[in-house]
PDB file of all heavy atoms in Angstrom:
ATOM      1  N   ASN A  78      -0.464 -11.197  23.051  1.00 92.00           N
ATOM      2  CA  ASN A  78      -1.794 -11.767  23.074  1.00 92.00           C
ATOM      3  C   ASN A  78      -2.195 -12.266  21.694  1.00 92.00           C
ATOM      4  O   ASN A  78      -1.856 -11.645  20.681  1.00 92.00           O
ATOM      5  CB  ASN A  78      -2.806 -10.717  23.531  1.00 92.00           C
ATOM      6  CG  ASN A  78      -2.810 -10.536  25.045  1.00 92.00           C
ATOM      7  OD1 ASN A  78      -2.160 -11.295  25.772  1.00 92.00           O
ATOM      8  ND2 ASN A  78      -3.545  -9.542  25.508  1.00 92.00           N
ATOM      9  N   THR A  79      -2.897 -13.340  21.636  1.00 96.00           N
ATOM     10  CA  THR A  79      -3.371 -13.894  20.348  1.00 96.00           C
ATOM     11  C   THR A  79      -4.879 -13.737  20.146  1.00 96.00           C
ATOM     12  O   THR A  79      -5.389 -14.147  19.108  1.00 96.00           O
ATOM     13  CB  THR A  79      -2.985 -15.376  20.247  1.00 96.00           C
ATOM     14  OG1 THR A  79      -3.513 -16.107  21.346  1.00 96.00           O
ATOM     15  CG2 THR A  79      -1.469 -15.526  20.194  1.00 96.00           C
ATOM     16  N   HIS A  80      -5.556 -13.147  21.151  1.00 96.00           N
ATOM     17  CA  HIS A  80      -6.986 -12.884  21.009  1.00 96.00           C
ATOM     18  C   HIS A  80      -7.403 -11.954  22.183  1.00 96.00           C
ATOM     19  O   HIS A  80      -7.160 -12.289  23.326  1.00 96.00           O
ATOM     20  CB  HIS A  80      -7.809 -14.171  21.067  1.00 96.00           C
ATOM     21  CG  HIS A  80      -9.199 -14.033  20.510  1.00 96.00           C
ATOM     22  ND1 HIS A  80     -10.129 -13.136  20.976  1.00 96.00           N
ATOM     23  CD2 HIS A  80      -9.810 -14.698  19.468  1.00 96.00           C
ATOM     24  CE1 HIS A  80     -11.263 -13.240  20.303  1.00 96.00           C
ATOM     25  NE2 HIS A  80     -11.080 -14.169  19.390  1.00 96.00           N
ATOM     26  N   PRO A  81      -8.017 -10.815  21.866  1.00 96.00           N
ATOM     27  CA  PRO A  81      -8.461  -9.944  22.959  1.00 96.00           C
ATOM     28  C   PRO A  81      -9.437 -10.624  23.906  1.00 96.00           C
ATOM     29  O   PRO A  81      -9.440 -10.355  25.107  1.00 96.00           O
ATOM     30  CB  PRO A  81      -9.092  -8.754  22.248  1.00 96.00           C
ATOM     31  CG  PRO A  81      -8.397  -8.716  20.935  1.00 96.00           C
ATOM     32  CD  PRO A  81      -8.192 -10.166  20.544  1.00 96.00           C
ATOM     33  N   GLY A  82     -10.334 -11.455  23.364  1.00 90.00           N
ATOM     34  CA  GLY A  82     -11.229 -12.261  24.201  1.00 90.00           C
ATOM     35  C   GLY A  82     -12.438 -11.528  24.743  1.00 90.00           C
ATOM     36  O   GLY A  82     -13.277 -12.122  25.421  1.00 90.00           O
ATOM     37  N   THR A  83     -12.600 -10.225  24.451  1.00 95.00           N
ATOM     38  CA  THR A  83     -13.780  -9.500  24.933  1.00 95.00           C
ATOM     39  C   THR A  83     -14.998  -9.794  24.042  1.00 95.00           C
ATOM     40  O   THR A  83     -14.853 -10.096  22.887  1.00 95.00           O
ATOM     41  CB  THR A  83     -13.531  -7.985  24.974  1.00 95.00           C
ATOM     42  OG1 THR A  83     -13.348  -7.525  23.629  1.00 95.00           O
ATOM     43  CG2 THR A  83     -12.311  -7.670  25.796  1.00 95.00           C
ATOM     44  N   SER A  84     -16.156  -9.633  24.608  1.00 95.00           N
ATOM     45  CA  SER A  84     -17.367  -9.904  23.832  1.00 95.00           C
ATOM     46  C   SER A  84     -17.511  -8.946  22.676  1.00 95.00           C
ATOM     47  O   SER A  84     -17.992  -9.331  21.611  1.00 95.00           O
ATOM     48  CB  SER A  84     -18.595  -9.840  24.759  1.00 95.00           C
ATOM     49  OG  SER A  84     -18.697  -8.566  25.398  1.00 95.00           O
ATOM     50  N   ASP A  85     -17.133  -7.705  22.882  1.00 96.00           N
ATOM     51  CA  ASP A  85     -17.229  -6.698  21.807  1.00 96.00           C
ATOM     52  C   ASP A  85     -16.314  -7.089  20.655  1.00 96.00           C
ATOM     53  O   ASP A  85     -16.728  -7.006  19.479  1.00 96.00           O
ATOM     54  CB  ASP A  85     -16.866  -5.322  22.325  1.00 96.00           C
ATOM     55  CG  ASP A  85     -17.000  -4.260  21.274  1.00 96.00           C
ATOM     56  OD1 ASP A  85     -18.120  -4.040  20.778  1.00 96.00           O
ATOM     57  OD2 ASP A  85     -16.004  -3.625  20.960  1.00 96.00           O
ATOM     58  N   TYR A  86     -15.107  -7.488  20.972  1.00 97.00           N
ATOM     59  CA  TYR A  86     -14.167  -7.871  19.894  1.00 97.00           C
ATOM     60  C   TYR A  86     -14.691  -9.127  19.178  1.00 97.00           C
ATOM     61  O   TYR A  86     -14.619  -9.199  17.931  1.00 97.00           O
ATOM     62  CB  TYR A  86     -12.789  -8.127  20.468  1.00 97.00           C
ATOM     63  CG  TYR A  86     -11.775  -8.479  19.396  1.00 97.00           C
ATOM     64  CD1 TYR A  86     -11.081  -7.504  18.707  1.00 97.00           C
ATOM     65  CD2 TYR A  86     -11.520  -9.834  19.071  1.00 97.00           C
ATOM     66  CE1 TYR A  86     -10.136  -7.840  17.736  1.00 97.00           C
ATOM     67  CE2 TYR A  86     -10.607 -10.153  18.077  1.00 97.00           C
ATOM     68  CZ  TYR A  86      -9.918  -9.148  17.415  1.00 97.00           C
ATOM     69  OH  TYR A  86      -9.032  -9.492  16.441  1.00 97.00           O
ATOM     70  N   VAL A  87     -15.177 -10.096  19.904  1.00 97.00           N
ATOM     71  CA  VAL A  87     -15.657 -11.314  19.281  1.00 97.00           C
ATOM     72  C   VAL A  87     -16.789 -10.998  18.316  1.00 97.00           C
ATOM     73  O   VAL A  87     -16.879 -11.513  17.185  1.00 97.00           O
ATOM     74  CB  VAL A  87     -16.136 -12.315  20.355  1.00 97.00           C
ATOM     75  CG1 VAL A  87     -16.905 -13.460  19.713  1.00 97.00           C
ATOM     76  CG2 VAL A  87     -14.928 -12.867  21.128  1.00 97.00           C
ATOM     77  N   ALA A  88     -17.693 -10.102  18.723  1.00 97.00           N
ATOM     78  CA  ALA A  88     -18.849  -9.738  17.872  1.00 97.00           C
ATOM     79  C   ALA A  88     -18.357  -9.080  16.578  1.00 97.00           C
ATOM     80  O   ALA A  88     -18.878  -9.357  15.498  1.00 97.00           O
ATOM     81  CB  ALA A  88     -19.775  -8.792  18.636  1.00 97.00           C
ATOM     82  N   LYS A  89     -17.374  -8.188  16.699  1.00 97.00           N
ATOM     83  CA  LYS A  89     -16.849  -7.548  15.492  1.00 97.00           C
ATOM     84  C   LYS A  89     -16.121  -8.515  14.602  1.00 97.00           C
ATOM     85  O   LYS A  89     -16.232  -8.445  13.367  1.00 97.00           O
ATOM     86  CB  LYS A  89     -15.910  -6.375  15.931  1.00 97.00           C
ATOM     87  CG  LYS A  89     -16.670  -5.160  16.456  1.00 97.00           C
ATOM     88  CD  LYS A  89     -15.701  -4.054  16.848  1.00 97.00           C
ATOM     89  CE  LYS A  89     -16.427  -2.753  17.101  1.00 97.00           C
ATOM     90  NZ  LYS A  89     -17.484  -2.817  18.107  1.00 97.00           N
ATOM     91  N   ALA A  90     -15.376  -9.452  15.194  1.00 97.00           N
ATOM     92  CA  ALA A  90     -14.658 -10.436  14.395  1.00 97.00           C
ATOM     93  C   ALA A  90     -15.624 -11.338  13.629  1.00 97.00           C
ATOM     94  O   ALA A  90     -15.370 -11.697  12.478  1.00 97.00           O
ATOM     95  CB  ALA A  90     -13.758 -11.296  15.289  1.00 97.00           C
ATOM     96  N   GLU A  91     -16.739 -11.660  14.247  1.00 97.00           N
ATOM     97  CA  GLU A  91     -17.752 -12.505  13.586  1.00 97.00           C
ATOM     98  C   GLU A  91     -18.341 -11.847  12.344  1.00 97.00           C
ATOM     99  O   GLU A  91     -18.857 -12.530  11.439  1.00 97.00           O
ATOM    100  CB  GLU A  91     -18.853 -12.885  14.586  1.00 97.00           C
ATOM    101  CG  GLU A  91     -18.392 -13.885  15.642  1.00 97.00           C
ATOM    102  CD  GLU A  91     -19.493 -14.154  16.689  1.00 97.00           C
ATOM    103  OE1 GLU A  91     -20.487 -13.391  16.688  1.00 97.00           O
ATOM    104  OE2 GLU A  91     -19.315 -15.102  17.454  1.00 97.00           O
ATOM    105  N   HIS A  92     -18.270 -10.547  12.288  1.00 96.00           N
ATOM    106  CA  HIS A  92     -18.789  -9.791  11.128  1.00 96.00           C
ATOM    107  C   HIS A  92     -17.651  -9.226  10.298  1.00 96.00           C
ATOM    108  O   HIS A  92     -17.846  -8.241   9.559  1.00 96.00           O
ATOM    109  CB  HIS A  92     -19.713  -8.664  11.589  1.00 96.00           C
ATOM    110  CG  HIS A  92     -20.980  -9.176  12.241  1.00 96.00           C
ATOM    111  ND1 HIS A  92     -21.096  -9.424  13.595  1.00 96.00           N
ATOM    112  CD2 HIS A  92     -22.212  -9.500  11.691  1.00 96.00           C
ATOM    113  CE1 HIS A  92     -22.315  -9.854  13.880  1.00 96.00           C
ATOM    114  NE2 HIS A  92     -23.012  -9.904  12.715  1.00 96.00           N
ATOM    115  N   ASP A  93     -16.471  -9.874  10.361  1.00 97.00           N
ATOM    116  CA  ASP A  93     -15.312  -9.496   9.551  1.00 97.00           C
ATOM    117  C   ASP A  93     -14.937  -8.015   9.758  1.00 97.00           C
ATOM    118  O   ASP A  93     -14.434  -7.366   8.830  1.00 97.00           O
ATOM    119  CB  ASP A  93     -15.585  -9.763   8.058  1.00 97.00           C
ATOM    120  CG  ASP A  93     -15.747 -11.254   7.778  1.00 97.00           C
ATOM    121  OD1 ASP A  93     -15.060 -12.035   8.415  1.00 97.00           O
ATOM    122  OD2 ASP A  93     -16.588 -11.582   6.916  1.00 97.00           O
ATOM    123  N   PHE A  94     -15.186  -7.513  10.919  1.00 98.00           N
ATOM    124  CA  PHE A  94     -14.742  -6.162  11.331  1.00 98.00           C
ATOM    125  C   PHE A  94     -15.330  -5.037  10.444  1.00 98.00           C
ATOM    126  O   PHE A  94     -14.750  -3.983  10.321  1.00 98.00           O
ATOM    127  CB  PHE A  94     -13.228  -6.061  11.327  1.00 98.00           C
ATOM    128  CG  PHE A  94     -12.564  -7.064  12.243  1.00 98.00           C
ATOM    129  CD1 PHE A  94     -11.910  -8.187  11.716  1.00 98.00           C
ATOM    130  CD2 PHE A  94     -12.607  -6.900  13.594  1.00 98.00           C
ATOM    131  CE1 PHE A  94     -11.294  -9.099  12.576  1.00 98.00           C
ATOM    132  CE2 PHE A  94     -11.997  -7.806  14.477  1.00 98.00           C
ATOM    133  CZ  PHE A  94     -11.333  -8.930  13.930  1.00 98.00           C
ATOM    134  N   VAL A  95     -16.502  -5.308   9.849  1.00 97.00           N
ATOM    135  CA  VAL A  95     -17.101  -4.273   8.975  1.00 97.00           C
ATOM    136  C   VAL A  95     -17.483  -3.047   9.772  1.00 97.00           C
ATOM    137  O   VAL A  95     -17.575  -1.927   9.211  1.00 97.00           O
ATOM    138  CB  VAL A  95     -18.326  -4.829   8.221  1.00 97.00           C
ATOM    139  CG1 VAL A  95     -17.912  -5.901   7.244  1.00 97.00           C
ATOM    140  CG2 VAL A  95     -19.369  -5.333   9.216  1.00 97.00           C
ATOM    141  N   ASP A  96     -17.732  -3.195  11.089  1.00 96.00           N
ATOM    142  CA  ASP A  96     -18.087  -2.055  11.909  1.00 96.00           C
ATOM    143  C   ASP A  96     -16.941  -1.566  12.807  1.00 96.00           C
ATOM    144  O   ASP A  96     -17.153  -0.821  13.746  1.00 96.00           O
ATOM    145  CB  ASP A  96     -19.341  -2.354  12.751  1.00 96.00           C
ATOM    146  CG  ASP A  96     -19.163  -3.603  13.611  1.00 96.00           C
ATOM    147  OD1 ASP A  96     -18.158  -4.323  13.411  1.00 96.00           O
ATOM    148  OD2 ASP A  96     -20.021  -3.828  14.491  1.00 96.00           O
ATOM    149  N   TRP A  97     -15.725  -2.037  12.509  1.00 98.00           N
ATOM    150  CA  TRP A  97     -14.559  -1.595  13.265  1.00 98.00           C
ATOM    151  C   TRP A  97     -14.224  -0.152  12.853  1.00 98.00           C
ATOM    152  O   TRP A  97     -14.178   0.155  11.665  1.00 98.00           O
ATOM    153  CB  TRP A  97     -13.365  -2.512  12.971  1.00 98.00           C
ATOM    154  CG  TRP A  97     -12.161  -2.223  13.843  1.00 98.00           C
ATOM    155  CD1 TRP A  97     -11.161  -1.332  13.638  1.00 98.00           C
ATOM    156  CD2 TRP A  97     -11.856  -2.906  15.057  1.00 98.00           C
ATOM    157  NE1 TRP A  97     -10.231  -1.409  14.637  1.00 98.00           N
ATOM    158  CE2 TRP A  97     -10.631  -2.366  15.516  1.00 98.00           C
ATOM    159  CE3 TRP A  97     -12.459  -3.914  15.814  1.00 98.00           C
ATOM    160  CZ2 TRP A  97     -10.012  -2.798  16.697  1.00 98.00           C
ATOM    161  CZ3 TRP A  97     -11.878  -4.341  16.970  1.00 98.00           C
ATOM    162  CH2 TRP A  97     -10.641  -3.789  17.429  1.00 98.00           C
ATOM    163  N   GLN A  98     -13.992   0.686  13.819  1.00 96.00           N
ATOM    164  CA  GLN A  98     -13.631   2.064  13.519  1.00 96.00           C
ATOM    165  C   GLN A  98     -12.413   2.503  14.328  1.00 96.00           C
ATOM    166  O   GLN A  98     -12.211   2.015  15.450  1.00 96.00           O
ATOM    167  CB  GLN A  98     -14.804   2.999  13.842  1.00 96.00           C
ATOM    168  CG  GLN A  98     -16.001   2.838  12.929  1.00 96.00           C
ATOM    169  CD  GLN A  98     -17.049   3.875  13.162  1.00 96.00           C
ATOM    170  OE1 GLN A  98     -17.328   4.248  14.321  1.00 96.00           O
ATOM    171  NE2 GLN A  98     -17.676   4.385  12.114  1.00 96.00           N
ATOM    172  N   ILE A  99     -11.632   3.368  13.737  1.00 98.00           N
ATOM    173  CA  ILE A  99     -10.492   3.961  14.411  1.00 98.00           C
ATOM    174  C   ILE A  99     -10.706   5.475  14.458  1.00 98.00           C
ATOM    175  O   ILE A  99     -10.828   6.112  13.429  1.00 98.00           O
ATOM    176  CB  ILE A  99      -9.166   3.632  13.712  1.00 98.00           C
ATOM    177  CG1 ILE A  99      -8.848   2.143  13.889  1.00 98.00           C
ATOM    178  CG2 ILE A  99      -8.029   4.483  14.223  1.00 98.00           C
ATOM    179  CD1 ILE A  99      -7.534   1.740  13.296  1.00 98.00           C
ATOM    180  N   GLY A 100     -10.721   6.018  15.685  1.00 97.00           N
ATOM    181  CA  GLY A 100     -10.877   7.437  15.858  1.00 97.00           C
ATOM    182  C   GLY A 100      -9.564   8.072  16.269  1.00 97.00           C
ATOM    183  O   GLY A 100      -8.729   7.438  16.946  1.00 97.00           O
ATOM    184  N   VAL A 101      -9.349   9.310  15.860  1.00 98.00           N
ATOM    185  CA  VAL A 101      -8.187  10.089  16.258  1.00 98.00           C
ATOM    186  C   VAL A 101      -8.683  11.315  16.997  1.00 98.00           C
ATOM    187  O   VAL A 101      -9.474  12.089  16.455  1.00 98.00           O
ATOM    188  CB  VAL A 101      -7.311  10.481  15.055  1.00 98.00           C
ATOM    189  CG1 VAL A 101      -6.023  11.170  15.548  1.00 98.00           C
ATOM    190  CG2 VAL A 101      -6.966   9.287  14.198  1.00 98.00           C
ATOM    191  N   THR A 102      -8.193  11.490  18.246  1.00 98.00           N
ATOM    192  CA  THR A 102      -8.642  12.589  19.057  1.00 98.00           C
ATOM    193  C   THR A 102      -7.411  13.285  19.675  1.00 98.00           C
ATOM    194  O   THR A 102      -6.281  12.963  19.362  1.00 98.00           O
ATOM    195  CB  THR A 102      -9.559  12.079  20.174  1.00 98.00           C
ATOM    196  OG1 THR A 102      -8.822  11.153  20.987  1.00 98.00           O
ATOM    197  CG2 THR A 102     -10.796  11.378  19.648  1.00 98.00           C
ATOM    198  N   GLY A 103      -7.680  14.223  20.549  1.00 98.00           N
ATOM    199  CA  GLY A 103      -6.601  14.882  21.274  1.00 98.00           C
ATOM    200  C   GLY A 103      -6.197  16.184  20.643  1.00 98.00           C
ATOM    201  O   GLY A 103      -7.056  16.984  20.165  1.00 98.00           O
ATOM    202  N   LEU A 104      -4.897  16.446  20.634  1.00 98.00           N
ATOM    203  CA  LEU A 104      -4.376  17.737  20.183  1.00 98.00           C
ATOM    204  C   LEU A 104      -4.277  17.792  18.683  1.00 98.00           C
ATOM    205  O   LEU A 104      -3.180  17.776  18.063  1.00 98.00           O
ATOM    206  CB  LEU A 104      -2.998  17.978  20.849  1.00 98.00           C
ATOM    207  CG  LEU A 104      -3.027  18.022  22.392  1.00 98.00           C
ATOM    208  CD1 LEU A 104      -1.621  18.118  22.940  1.00 98.00           C
ATOM    209  CD2 LEU A 104      -3.877  19.192  22.880  1.00 98.00           C
ATOM    210  N   ILE A 105      -5.430  17.876  18.055  1.00 98.00           N
ATOM    211  CA  ILE A 105      -5.478  17.934  16.575  1.00 98.00           C
ATOM    212  C   ILE A 105      -6.534  18.944  16.165  1.00 98.00           C
ATOM    213  O   ILE A 105      -7.472  19.253  16.944  1.00 98.00           O
ATOM    214  CB  ILE A 105      -5.848  16.561  15.970  1.00 98.00           C
ATOM    215  CG1 ILE A 105      -7.137  16.005  16.583  1.00 98.00           C
ATOM    216  CG2 ILE A 105      -4.703  15.577  16.141  1.00 98.00           C
ATOM    217  CD1 ILE A 105      -7.581  14.678  16.020  1.00 98.00           C
TER     218      ILE A 105
END
Side-chain angles (χ1 to χ4, degrees):
N78 280 352
T79 56
H80 198 302
T83 65
S84 58
D85 183 62
Y86 182 87
V87 169
K89 286 179 168 56
E91 288 176 347
H92 294 90
D93 295 324
F94 302 106
V95 294
D96 55 350
W97 188 272
Q98 292 186 321
I99 290 183
V101 186
T102 61
L104 298 175
I105 54 179

